[in-house]
Amino acid sequence: MTSEPVLVVGGRSDIGLAIAHRFAAAGHAVQLAARNVTTLAVDKADIELRHGVAVTLCELDILATESLPGFVDQLAPLPAVAVCVVGLLGDQAAAETDLKAAALVMRSNYEGPALLTGLLANRFAKRGHGTIVGISSVAGDRGRARNYVYGSAKAGYTAFLSGLRNRLAKTPVHVMTVLPGFVRTRMTEGMALPPRLVAAPEDVAEAIFRGVAKRKDVLYTKPVWRLVMAVIRALPESVFKRTNL
Amino acid sequence: MLISGWGRYPLEECVLQQPRSETDLLALLGQGPLIARGNGRGYGDCAQNAACTVDMRRFNRMLTFDPATGCLAAEAGVLLSDVIASFLPRGWFPTVTPGTKYVTVGGMVAADVHGKNHHRDGSFGAFVDWLDVLGADGQVRRCSRDQNAELFAWTIGGMGLTGVILRAAFRLRRVESAWIRQTILPSPNLETAMRIFEDHAAASYSVAWIDCLAGGSALGRSIIALGEHAMAAELPAPSRTHPYDVPAKKKLRIPFDMPAVLMNSWTVRAFNAAYYHREAGKRGERLVDWDSYFYPLDALADWNRIYGRPGFLQFQCVLPLAGAHRGLTALLRVIAESGQGSFLAVLKRLGGGQGGAFSFPLEGYTLALDFPVSSRSLALMERLDEIVLAHGGRFYLAKDSRLSARTLRASDDRVAQLVEMRRGLAATSFRSSQSERLQL
Ligand SMILES: Cc1cc2nc3c(=O)[nH]c(=O)nc-3n(C[C@H](O)[C@H](O)[C@H](O)COP(=O)(O)OP(=O)(O)OC[C@H]3O[C@@H](n4cnc5c(N)ncnc54)[C@H](O)[C@@H]3O)c2cc1C
Ligand SMILES: NC(=O)c1ccc[n+]([C@@H]2O[C@H](COP(=O)([O-])OP(=O)(O)OC[C@H]3O[C@@H](n4cnc5c(N)ncnc54)[C@H](OP(=O)(O)O)[C@@H]3O)[C@@H](O)[C@H]2O)c1
């Protein structure tokens, strides 16, 4: 591996920080982008101390569309790997009736991540190399009553990444879609999750680190989820619509 | 959630909180008594409270490091294993380390842990420059030997009862390699073992594995292991250029609770005898990597499951130098006769270094051993308590899960001062199952 910088967009999330640590441990400089990025000053110090790499912080609200090109321009240097971790689970019940709440979930999981990833991919293509990592979710594999607003936005992002990969397949730029199952983070705090299906943020980070090295296309960070989702996808709609998964 | 210490006894249904920030912590403080919990490597009930057990492991960031002094400032939930992983490759090692690296900085301060170098260097607290402690009034106080000195003194070794440690600054030491020059000295009995400790007071590290089931003339037979950090020049040629690299180790795991009957006096006696003779055969000096030397048990994940579902108790006391030989003899006799001793028994010479105001160590000999949980073990341990009291010794609260408030008071006249120091808000805010049992 080289030690070129890795950009983590959504640096305040547990998964994002774990990814930053994993790449830093391999000697990569880290660029953390997030809202209220100054709150990451302690994490910056921690990563620098533990791993002896440089960490830079950049403020970014991924929904401020007009600011995205400027954000990409000011990255110095342009990172070798860009990971987009941004997402918002939101409240499904609220999203069913409140248009604003639904729109926020849709934009945070699809519009913002897709626009930024697209911009970065163009820069990488122009430069001639780079890896895009987009964190989507198994929730995007089939819409379920429980979280379909979130799931549909993730499905959109999954499709976007798939198309981007298809477009860039003949270039050196690599696009990896990451589909985590349940992960113990701020997002799932307090939820009762089936222990066998839950991963720690560090496990996700390790899987992503290896996936990047092996140039994987689609990564289920916990392999059992590939099987679980294959079964869920295979259910005929007439059966599926009656389930409560 | 069911929570226990490393000995898996007592198991208690506790509300576990996992705050991410000081704001979260302050909110918890307003709700009633709580106790901070590190990585749960204390053996008994010191880090649990049914109403509110506060997992500190999300406060896990390293803050600053000064290579001029070796002073590392870190949040309380940082693991010692992470400190080593980051700093050993750069030539630094913890100045004091307990027998497992899976402890937090907060846990090391609160128990004022001692290591194999206690006879020379003192306990962890001696290398702490300052602490940030969240008090019962919601204030965070920086304390040190010069500033809020009383809070500093009582927090080191204070078992979480003075407040929640948020951050600590402590010293690492320079080492030239990741290797230890270990010298193995077998000793056929207690007297020789103690003489070896006294003769090797200058050794950086010393500790003995003691066969607590051997009786008669073999009472107290031991394997003493001395250690020195190896200089780079002392390493064989291939390691000399990479003095901080050691071969990667496989980690084994105890996958299930072993049937408790496996740990009986015959198996342990046979094991101990075989172990003594095998180790005695290794007499002399050799190079051992840091992990095998300091943390042999860490290679076996979840080793606390070997005692089966009921769990186990640890007994650790220290006897003042003067009566140590007589006291240890009495303890070992009772243990050997009972046939209840375990494989893991450790003898160590402690030095006179002054730790915190309520720290465990005192100049003398400390004996630590495990017993499976049973009414027989509990009865035996009460007999041991009496012997410790008769010889002016005291007990290590980080290992305790069954001592009585009366015995603790009889062993340690500092208890009254701790209770006095805690009078008021602290006493109602910071409580563990242990502090309640011991009426602290
Ligand atoms: C295999 C093994 C070997 C050991 N060897 C040694 C040894 O050689 N020498 C030795 O001294 N000890 C030894 N110990 C004991 C261990 O070092 C101590 O119990 C240590 O305190 C455990 O740290 P922890 O982070 O797991 O804390 P816990 O077990 O979670 O807590 C221990 C105590 O510290 C308090 N505490 C933890 N964090 C905080 C905080 N942030 N603020 C305030 N209070 C806090 C708790 O309230 C509790 O009273 C050993 C333990 C094991 C399992
Ligand atoms: N946890 C799971 O079980 C799970 C499962 C599958 C997929 N995922 C996905 O994994 C990713 C990480 O999630 P997580 O579990 O670590 O939860 P998280 O902490 O909620 O992470 C989401 C991150 O997205 C950031 N974000 C949201 N909107 C943003 C915006 N407009 N601009 C910039 N940043 C924004 C949040 O920033 P703030 O800190 O500023 O709010 C937060 O750091 C998400 O994409 C999530 O959908 C999680």
Side-chain angles (χ1 to χ4, degrees):
Chain A
M1 289 292 281
T2 70
S3 47
E4 292 169 287
V6 172
L7 165 68
V8 178
V9 183
R12 270 159 46 85
S13 79
D14 293 336
I15 295 178
L17 275 177
I19 294 169
H21 275 277
R22 184 61 191 88
F23 279 93
H28 293 268
V30 173
Q31 301 165 336
L32 291 175
R35 301 184 284 204
N36 304 313
V37 79
T38 50
T39 57
L40 286 173
V42 183
D43 297 281
K44 166 180 153 76
D46 181 42
I47 296 172
E48 291 183 333
L49 252 182
R50 284 183 193 237
H51 309 297
V53 300
V55 178
T56 47
L57 302 179
C58 1
E59 181 71 24
L60 172 71
D61 180 341
I62 210 164
L63 296 182
T65 311
E66 64 295 342
S67 75
L68 297 183
F71 165 77
V72 175
D73 285 339
Q74 57 83 46
L75 291 172
L78 193 62
V81 179
V83 189
C84 182
V85 188
V86 171
L88 175 69
L89 185 57
D91 176 347
Q92 168 67 23
E96 285 166 17
T97 53
D98 177 348
L99 295 186
K100 264 202 176 136
L104 184 64
V105 171
M106 292 170 179
R107 296 187 63 214
S108 304
N109 289 294
Y110 175 60
E111 184 191 305
L115 292 178
L116 181 63
T117 330
L119 274 178
L120 284 162
N122 290 350
R123 294 296 166 90
F124 286 4
K126 200 162 140 208
R127 179 180 62 183
H129 71 95
T131 300
I132 298 283
V133 179
I135 303 206
S136 188
S137 170
V138 297
D141 283 8
R142 195 160 191 179
R144 293 170 297 137
R146 205 181 279 279
N147 64 7
Y148 66 86
V149 176
Y150 170 78
S152 63
K154 286 295 194 188
Y157 190 39
T158 301
F160 182 92
L161 291 167
S162 159
L164 189 62
R165 178 164 45 245
N166 188 199
R167 178 189 127 202
L168 296 173
K170 293 201 182 69
T171 77
V173 177
H174 168 218
V175 179
M176 180 165 88
T177 310
V178 180
L179 302 171
F182 299 128
V183 189
R184 218 171 287 108
T185 65
R186 194 191 295 268
M187 189 178 268
T188 52
E189 203 148 270
M191 295 184 192
L193 302 173
R196 285 172 166 280
L197 295 180
V198 181
E202 293 72 31
D203 304 334
V204 175
E206 182 63 33
I208 289 174
F209 180 78
R210 291 185 189 189
V212 167
K214 290 192 193 148
R215 297 178 75 86
K216 290 243 184 184
D217 294 323
V218 179
L219 178 73
Y220 284 83
T221 53
K222 204 171 168 71
V224 54
W225 279 98
R226 186 183 289 276
L227 189 73
V228 172
M229 295 320 295
V231 171
I232 291 179
R233 269 196 313 265
L235 291 177
E237 193 64 23
S238 56
V239 176
F240 179 75
K241 72 178 181 191
R242 286 174 216 290
T243 61
N244 176 23
L245 289 167
Chain B
M1 176 167 189
L2 277 176
I3 290 181
S4 72
W6 186 243
R8 308 172 81 206
Y9 171 89
L11 259 180
E12 215 176 333
E13 186 64 39
C14 299
V15 177
L16 184 71
Q17 300 287 356
Q18 303 184 291
R20 289 170 179 277
S21 65
E22 279 174 53
T23 320
D24 295 354
L25 253 180
L26 274 175
L28 294 173
L29 197 56
Q31 291 167 21
L34 56 80
I35 193 71
R37 181 179 178 88
N39 206 32
R41 256 38 179 203
Y43 277 66
D45 50 358
C46 57
Q48 63 203 51
N49 172 319
C52 185
T53 302
V54 182
D55 184 343
M56 292 297 292
R57 289 177 300 182
R58 282 184 170 159
F59 294 79
N60 66 348
R61 292 164 303 188
M62 300 183 193
L63 303 169
T64 57
F65 180 67
D66 179 354
T69 58
C71 185
L72 173 66
E75 291 180 330
V78 165
L79 289 175
L80 185 60
S81 54
D82 285 352
V83 173
I84 297 171
S86 295
F87 286 93
L88 182 54
R90 293 179 235 171
W92 298 93
F93 198 74
T95 318
V96 170
T97 170
T100 171
K101 59 187 175 295
Y102 300 120
V103 291
T104 64
V105 169
M108 289 194 291
V109 173
D112 191 16
V113 297
H114 55 273
K116 298 177 181 186
N117 57 341
H118 189 274
H119 61 287
R120 260 182 54 165
D121 299 330
S123 53
F124 190 78
F127 300 93
V128 174
D129 283 5
W130 53 258
L131 300 170
D132 281 346
V133 181
L134 172 65
D137 57 0
Q139 295 296 314
V140 177
R141 289 184 183 79
R142 172 73 47 104
C143 60
S144 65
R145 288 174 190 80
D146 313 317
Q147 189 183 356
N148 295 312
E150 200 190 357
L151 179 64
F152 185 73
W154 285 98
T155 300
I156 293 173
M159 300 304 289
L161 301 178
T162 61
V164 179
I165 301 162
L166 297 178
R167 288 171 282 272
F170 56 99
R171 304 290 177 111
L172 306 179
R173 73 168 53 186
R174 271 256 168 236
V175 293
E176 277 197 22
S177 81
W179 297 86
I180 301 293
R181 279 190 294 118
Q182 183 191 53
T183 306
I184 296 281
L185 302 169
S187 154
N189 56 41
L190 178 65
E191 195 165 349
T192 315
M194 291 175 72
R195 207 183 49 240
I196 293 175
F197 272 119
E198 300 305 327
D199 288 350
H200 292 88
S204 294
Y205 299 106
S206 63
V207 69
W209 169 85
I210 183 165
D211 181 351
C212 56
L213 287 184
S217 61
L219 189 82
R221 76 174 161 196
S222 313
I223 301 291
I224 292 133
L226 308 177
E228 300 295 334
H229 286 284
M231 307 286 198
E234 292 167 342
L235 302 179
S239 291
R240 221 170 292 156
T241 44
H242 302 94
Y244 300 112
D245 290 352
V246 298
K249 276 205 295 195
K250 260 217 200 87
K251 196 161 171 172
L252 302 173
R253 181 171 290 277
I254 304 284
F256 53 84
D257 298 338
M258 307 234 300
V261 295
L262 281 182
M263 284 300 219
N264 61 43
S265 63
W266 293 284
T267 53
V268 176
R269 210 182 284 277
F271 191 99
N272 280 6
Y275 185 80
Y276 175 81
H277 291 293
R278 198 191 73 171
E279 292 298 300
K282 294 185 189 161
R283 175 194 299 274
E285 187 181 298
R286 61 201 181 107
L287 281 173
V288 180
D289 69 84
W290 62 276
D291 208 3
S292 311
Y293 181 78
F294 289 104
Y295 315 110
L297 287 168
D298 286 349
L300 198 58
D302 298 336
W303 65 260
N304 52 350
R305 303 181 82 164
I306 62 175
Y307 289 91
R309 194 154 304 223
F312 63 108
L313 308 157
Q314 175 146 119
F315 183 87
Q316 182 167 2
C317 64
V318 57
L319 302 180
L321 207 49
H325 183 258
R326 258 181 306 117
L328 286 170
T329 307
L331 289 170
L332 290 168
R333 263 206 197 113
V334 171
I335 296 163
E337 276 162 19
S338 76
Q340 290 182 68
S342 66
F343 166 65
L344 292 166
V346 172
L347 180 69
K348 155 115 200 91
R349 171 75 152 86
L350 296 183
Q354 187 53 47
F358 195 58
S359 294
F360 161 71
L362 57 77
E363 175 142 39
Y365 279 84
T366 179
L367 177 70
L369 67 160
D370 301 341
F371 297 100
V373 172
S374 72
S375 49
R376 279 181 64 211
S377 301
L378 288 164
L380 171 67
M381 290 167 86
E382 286 185 11
R383 288 184 63 198
L384 301 179
D385 290 350
E386 293 306 322
I387 298 173
V388 172
L389 291 182
H391 292 85
R394 63 190 188 213
F395 305 91
Y396 192 14
L397 295 190
K399 307 290 184 78
D400 159 63
S401 47
R402 32 66 53 187
L403 207 63
S404 73
R406 187 193 61 79
T407 308
L408 178 69
R409 279 165 177 72
S411 71
D412 195 337
D413 49 21
R414 302 172 306 171
V415 171
Q417 284 165 267
L418 175 70
V419 170
E420 182 55 35
M421 194 267 167
R422 268 163 58 71
R423 189 181 299 284
L425 264 188
T428 49
S429 303
F430 306 113
R431 306 173 73 97
S432 60
S433 296
Q434 178 179 59
S435 79
E436 292 183 1
R437 173 167 50 77
L438 296 174
Q439 297 164 20
L440 292 176

